Amino acid sequence: MSLNAHLDELDKKILNALMVNARVPYAELAKKFNVSAGTIHVRVEKMKSTGVILGTKVEVCPKKLGYDVCCFIGINLKSAKDYPSALAQLRALDEVVEAYYTTGNYNIFVKLMTRSIDELQKVLIDKIQQIEEVQSTETLISLQNPISRDVHP
């Protein structure tokens, strides 16, 4: 299959409906789109097998779990060859919730969640800046997240 899966209008409608509510019954979608529940099932399975649908997940509110600090850290590595090792060490840190290998000012850009500024400071000093491959970091603290959405088909 090609890198970009071909989705027809029914696939897009199904995908959009599932993105709003991943638990909606196939029978309900079938009625809404005037097709059989079997058709919905086959289409969803096809999107899973082609990697369009990666799975379902529960979305949690970090603040309700006590994570009050969200920040982004730009990381410069000593050398490009250090990427695999640095990434493995970052992956081991529970506070790192996303990581990107980037062009521009940083080699790696990570999103970090901590319970407090004090905890953020400890993570920076005792964990991230202790990674041998890290040359320097720049931290940007998020004040709010006014836009958060998935891409639409």
Side-chain angles (χ1 to χ4, degrees), residues 3-38:
L3 186 58
N4 295 317
H6 173 72
L7 300 178
D8 65 16
E9 286 308 306
L10 179 57
D11 290 330
K12 290 177 184 179
K13 288 177 183 177
I14 293 167
L15 196 52
N16 279 317
L18 291 173
M19 288 171 68
V20 170
N21 177 7
R23 296 180 55 155
V24 64
Y26 290 174
E28 188 176 318
L29 293 177
K31 187 175 181 181
K32 180 177 182 178
F33 301 132
N34 200 28
V35 296
S36 71

Side-chain angles (χ1 to χ4, degrees), residues 133-148:
E133 296 81 359
V134 171
Q135 179 179 357
S136 64
T137 63
E138 182 176 358
T139 303
L140 306 160
I141 296 176
S142 173
L143 300 177
Q144 61 177 233
N145 182 202
I147 300 171
S148 179

Side-chain angles (χ1 to χ4, degrees), residues 80-146:
K81 68 177 175 47
D82 292 332
Y83 174 69
S85 176
L87 184 62
Q89 293 173 76
L90 290 166
R91 184 177 279 121
L93 302 178
D94 290 336
E95 298 87 358
V96 174
V97 295
E98 294 180 28
Y100 300 88
Y101 189 38
T102 61
T103 63
N105 293 334
Y106 311 108
N107 301 110
I108 302 173
F109 202 69
V110 299
K111 179 178 177 182
L112 205 101
M113 298 293 297
T114 61
R115 296 178 187 276
S116 67
I117 293 293
D118 288 341
E119 184 179 332
L120 169 58
Q121 182 178 351
K122 287 178 181 146
V123 170
L124 277 169
I125 294 170
D126 298 339
K127 295 180 181 180
I128 293 177
Q129 292 173 347
Q130 293 302 312
I131 296 172
E132 175 77 24
E133 296 81 359
V134 171
Q135 179 179 357
S136 64
T137 63
E138 182 176 358
T139 303
L140 306 160
I141 296 176
S142 173
L143 300 177
Q144 61 177 233
N145 182 202

